[in-house]
Amino acid sequence: MLILSRKVDEKIKIGNDITLTIIEVRGEYVKVGVEAPKNVKVFRQEVLDAIQSENKAAATQSSEDALRKLLG
C-alpha cells in the first residue's frame, strides 16, 4: 500500500484518467473528490461490500430456485 500525505486542495493522480482531490479535513474525517471517466466505477468500500453480498445472495437464491424446479 502506498501512503501519501496531502493537504486541502492537493491532488493525487492515478494513471492518466483519475484524479483524487483533498476537499476538506475535519477531525478524523477527510472529504475526497474523485474525477474519473464515466466507465470507471467508483464506490465506497462498504457500499461495494454490500453490493457483492447482495449479488452472492441473489446467485445462491437463483441456484436454489433452479434446483427446486429440477427436483419438482
Side-chain angles (χ1 to χ4, degrees):
M1 174 187 303
L2 173 64
I3 299 173
L4 302 169
S5 296
R6 301 276 73 203
K7 295 178 183 176
V8 172
D9 292 330
E10 291 185 333
K11 299 176 185 299
I12 298 170
K13 288 290 288 182
I14 300 175
N16 293 324
D17 299 332
I18 300 172
T19 302
L20 305 178
T21 304
I22 305 306
I23 305 298
E24 180 181 7
V25 179
R26 187 181 296 179
E28 64 183 50
Y29 295 97
V30 177
K31 285 187 181 179
V32 178
V34 180
E35 295 176 59
K38 290 186 179 192
N39 66 324
V40 175
K41 295 180 180 180
V42 179
F43 296 103
R44 295 186 327 245
Q45 185 65 51
E46 64 273 14
V47 172
L48 181 60
D49 292 344
I51 291 169
Q52 290 174 337
S53 178
E54 289 294 321
N55 287 344
K56 287 179 186 175
T60 300
Q61 186 63 39
S62 295
S63 297
E64 290 173 0
D65 291 345
L67 186 58
R68 282 190 194 106
K69 285 181 183 178
L70 285 173
L71 296 176

